[in-house]
Amino acid sequence: MMKTTWWKEAIVYQIYPRSFLDTTGNGFGDLNGITSKLDYLKSLGVDVLWLSPIFQSPDDDNGYDISDYRNIMEKFGFMDDFDRMLKAAHDRGLKIILDLVVNHTSDEHKWFKESKNSSNNYYRDYYFWRKDKPSNWLSFFGGDAWEYDSKTKAYYLHLFSKKQPDLNWENEQVRKEVYDMMHFWLKKGVDGFRMDVIPMISKFLDFPDMDRNDFMNAINNLYTNGPRLHEFLREMNEQVLSKYDVMSMGEGIGIAAHQGLLYTDELRRELQMVYHFDHMALDWGDNGKFDPKSWKLTEFKHVFRSWYRELGDKGWITLFLDNHDFPRMVSRFGNDKEYRVESAKLLITLLMTLRGTPCIYQGSEIGMTNVQFDSLDDYKDIEIKNKVKEWRAQGRNMEELKFIVHKIARDNARTPLQWNKDMHSGFSKAENIWIDSNPNFTQINVESALENPNSIWYYYKKIISLRKMHKTLVYGNFEEFMSNSEDVYVYRRWDEKGNYLITLNFTNHPQFIDTIPEFEKSTLLIGNYSGSMDNKWALRPWEARVFYLNRFG
Ligand code: TEU
């Protein structure tokens, strides 16, 4: 029997602070902006706010390069603002979890500055320094993962940008520093952590060469799941997490379904849940996201089925379809044109009816879409900037790159939250903001959504509250129907309390569902089309329905 607990029932809402709301007029969102919108978030019905990094950082990778873990980035405010925000959240029954980015620091962190100084510096061993380049590894943001530094004539490892040197977790002192820092925030009352690229913290110290034409293989087999990973996670749990009643959610890049329990089995005392990338990488080719390929609904369904089977009643996952690293979910998995509203509602129906803790990314609640900037120079993400340089240097076709960027850019999800029809979508009063708003804010914005009872926003609110009332949707068993269909996703969730049928049409055309006699008498709990339903087994384009059957009815 599955254990019940608050973090399984919670609904997480991710805030990308720099794009949420700017109250100072500096063109960046800030902590006071978040505080001022807590009532808005509370009324949506979410429970936990995950904040992308808010710490001091030179901002090479939008704060995922931290130079001081115990101070707030000036652009976002000060520690007083943080304390006020946390208290205001707690006053409303909202929890706040922070982003724990400890696979790497910024190169401007004092540890790295020291470590770079001389080969016998105390901090030298906080990072990976080698006299000869140990491997041919590529970094996520292009180019070699080993960077030469002339001061001490040695190479250091950075799996991300060269301003993000990887920390050496083999060094006990490094681990202690991390645990102390976690205690610092937890003692302040923070409710847990989302852990950035956590499967990467233990390295294969012989650094085996990669196949440079198969980046995905390097991610899954060389950069993640290192030999001491689980030892480190258990230690972190024992020394820190177990002392508080908090959430631990690992970014699960590189974790395959059959490895899920190694991280999340309660008996192993490591993490509560991970969010795997299996469905998010379906459209990545061997060379990663800039090598896109098409995906099929059957593959998508296969991912959720395998994770469900592998974890059984022992482990847990985070459910998500987008975040600050991916395109907008309605543009990627739905139809952001003629069926934007319907498909956005369908996708949240999926997230709220699968087993796992759903995580909503800011702006999804109004169906924000991908952006298509005319010029590649309008993109701010280091990943794109480096790619542009690389393609230019190789004389490749820049129009082709632009086409790919429009589809896959992380900046798609990073444009400002669209509050209203004012300048910069009501996000800021500054003349220039750090990244432009999506021009469609005049149609898609919170203010208009709140005025329209049929909006995506009200559907989110309704289905969030349904999930909370019907715990079977959280914990219940899962069984699929028509699993070979490329058009519809049909499944039931059931336990001793109830039996629910979920029917989702993932196409622009009407679809028929094979009759399921058991559900003939079920009642409709929620659907994304208004008006009456004449046939239970016929779905309109992007139609989503949840039916309910009392267990004994
Ligand atoms: O992301 C880790 C990660 O591997 C990917 O999501 C990656 O950023 C993307 O696929 C690149 O193509 C985490 C953070 O969420 C991301 O924002 C950071 O850039 C990265 O770690 C480094 O800290």
Side-chain angles (χ1 to χ4, degrees), residues 61 64 104 194 196-197 251 253 289 324-325 383 410:
D61 181 22
Y64 282 89
H104 44 267
R194 172 267 185 185
D196 195 59
V197 292
E251 188 191 21
I253 185 164
K289 57 197 289 195
H324 67 293
D325 288 336
E383 178 175 64
R410 304 196 296 181

Side-chain angles (χ1 to χ4, degrees), residues 28-29 137 164 168 224 248 250 316 334 341 347 359 365 390 516 523:
F28 282 84
W137 286 10
Q164 293 167 297
N168 175 15
T224 55
S248 57
W316 200 251
V341 173
L347 294 172
C359 186
E365 74 275 25
E390 191 184 304
I516 307 168
T523 50

